[in-house]
Amino acid sequence: MEEYVRLIAEAYGSHVLTNNGPLHQRLEAALRERLEAPHLLLMANGTLAIQLALRALEVKGSVITTPFSYVATTSALLWECLRPVFVDIRPDTLCIDASLIEAAITPDTTAILATHVFGIPCDVEAIDVIAKKHGLKVIYDAAHAFDVRYKGRPITAYGDASTLSFHATKLFHTVEGGATIVHTEAHEKALRLLRSFGHIGDEHFTLGMNAKLSEMHAAMGLAVLPHVAQLVLERKHISEHYDAALATLVERPLCPTGTAYNYSYYPILLRDRDARERAMTNLAADGVFARRYFYPSLDTLPYVQGGVCPVSRDAADRVLCLPYYPGLDNDQLDRIVALLKTAL
């Protein structure tokens, strides 16, 4: 709080509260360096980050995507008048199953929008091969994947674009916010216009919207960023505690070899929907909040007709994300584990 208040005072001292102010520029520069992403642009939230990536890359027609993600992934496609085509997920990583993508490609397919679920990398090599073979753009929803590296590279270096969410629930946050990462100056220029009403000064170039991040939000990012490494270490400790206690009781999604993980969430997969409901009920009765995340599987949304994905539906029925934040001590973790064991 003290760091945040100091930065807010700095913003008021500059007399600039939004419109690419000094704090915004400082945070954008810091994230570009940290994530090795010279074409990163801050956005007002992670959903707009996806929408503007789709616009900047001129995606049209249908887009192959995952049914196991937060609804914003699909919503962004629908808002851009694109047709989602769902491809089922791998049961081990819960990410899109690259082996099923090619069969879903049609003449109007122009892109793949995949999610690094819980920060676990997609099969980026296989997706890259398919995209190049068929001339498709690749956008990764990396909302959970801040600071994740795969085979020595930032996970956001893969594909044509990656998007990040800086919502308050994320490892790194700006309360509300996000970023889009592209890999060419031309795409960065397009994003800059799209983010800020499509004009520079009084000269108008294209249709745009307001996706700017304010100085108030940038201040929070600058306050949080120096602490991310410590937050990851604390989450790693919690993860290892859960792992040791739950190893024989639940399934866990797996990270591919070569992943430097960020410990952003702690998802478990229970035997079936009934076991999941028993666990949630037992935890809630003792004041412990666990979340069905992601639920429901997006191929069941009543306003989307994108295919049927049984693996995703099964995962959505069985998944539960446990409490997972710095400050949870061993006694609290043991209490959560005991409640789970009683329920199961």
Side-chain angles (χ1 to χ4, degrees):
M1 177 64 76
E2 290 176 0
E3 294 170 48
Y4 182 60
V5 169
R6 177 179 56 78
L7 287 159
I8 293 295
E10 188 176 330
Y12 271 86
S14 75
H15 302 286
V16 178
L17 298 183
T18 188
N19 285 346
N20 197 32
L23 299 184
H24 176 288
Q25 293 178 38
R26 194 191 311 172
L27 178 60
E28 202 165 71
L31 292 174
R32 286 182 171 205
E33 181 178 1
R34 185 186 188 102
L35 302 179
E36 300 172 32
H39 300 293
L40 176 150
L41 290 180
L42 291 171
M43 299 288 169
N45 59 60
T47 308
L48 287 173
I50 300 172
Q51 286 185 240
L52 296 195
L54 293 165
R55 285 266 174 159
L57 269 58
E58 299 181 337
V59 174
K60 309 290 183 185
S62 66
V63 177
I64 291 170
T65 191
T66 175
F68 196 75
S69 184
Y70 186 58
V71 68
T73 311
T74 295
S75 299
L77 292 170
L78 295 172
W79 276 108
E80 292 304 310
C81 300
L82 301 168
R83 184 170 68 90
V85 177
F86 293 118
V87 164
D88 215 341
I89 61 173
R90 290 175 48 158
D92 56 349
T93 66
L94 304 183
C95 295
I96 195 167
D97 189 338
S99 69
L100 303 177
I101 289 176
E102 221 164 355
I105 296 172
T106 62
D108 75 335
T109 304
T110 60
I112 300 166
L113 173 58
T115 299
H116 300 304
V117 178
F118 304 125
I120 298 169
C122 296
D123 189 346
V124 291
E125 290 112 338
I127 291 171
D128 183 62
V129 169
I130 294 165
K132 285 178 176 170
K133 177 180 176 182
H134 294 275
L136 306 178
K137 299 284 174 48
V138 177
I139 300 169
Y140 287 110
D141 181 344
H144 297 168
F146 186 87
D147 257 2
V148 170
R149 299 181 74 87
Y150 178 66
K151 294 189 174 179
R153 301 174 67 197
I155 194 62
T156 50
Y158 295 89
D160 296 288
S162 292
T163 65
L164 294 163
S165 169
F166 300 150
H167 184 266
T169 56
K170 299 299 189 288
L171 172 67
F172 167 76
H173 78 94
T174 59
V175 183
E176 289 279 4
T180 303
I181 295 171
V182 289
H183 305 298
T184 69
E185 288 187 10
H187 286 146
E188 180 186 335
K189 181 179 179 182
L191 278 174
R192 283 190 181 279
L193 286 170
L194 290 166
R195 181 179 70 178
S196 205
F197 299 105
H199 71 87
I200 300 173
D202 292 331
E203 192 170 1
H204 289 252
F205 298 93
T206 187
L207 175 67
M209 64 166 65
N210 182 6
K212 301 186 302 296
L213 192 73
S214 79
E215 292 291 88
M216 306 297 103
H217 294 88
M220 180 61 79
L222 289 168
V224 172
L225 191 60
H227 300 281
V228 169
Q230 181 60 34
L231 295 174
V232 171
L233 286 176
E234 293 185 44
R235 287 172 178 266
K236 184 173 185 286
H237 165 76
I238 296 169
S239 179
E240 289 169 347
H241 193 103
Y242 275 142
D243 285 348
L246 298 173
T248 61
L249 195 64
V250 300
E251 295 176 49
R252 292 267 289 132
L254 302 174
C255 279
T257 302
T259 302
Y261 191 51
N262 67 355
Y263 299 93
S264 56
Y265 291 86
Y266 196 89
I268 59 175
L269 292 164
L270 303 179
R271 185 176 65 250
D272 52 32
R273 180 196 288 258
D274 289 342
R276 196 269 313 277
E277 291 303 309
R278 283 199 309 275
M280 283 187 68
T281 300
N282 209 48
L283 289 165
D286 205 44
V288 177
F289 178 69
R291 186 176 175 190
R292 297 181 298 183
Y293 193 65
F294 299 107
Y295 182 86
S297 181
L298 299 178
D299 63 308
T300 67
L301 294 174
Y303 49 86
V304 184
Q305 302 296 321
V308 177
C309 301
V311 180
S312 177
R313 293 185 182 194
D314 176 66
D317 277 345
R318 298 191 294 125
V319 73
L320 200 61
C321 280
L322 298 183
Y324 191 57
Y325 52 87
L328 278 173
D329 60 33
N330 288 348
D331 288 343
Q332 291 171 314
L333 293 170
D334 289 339
R335 174 181 156 217
I336 293 166
V337 169
L339 290 167
L340 272 175
K341 287 184 175 179
T342 299
L344 301 176

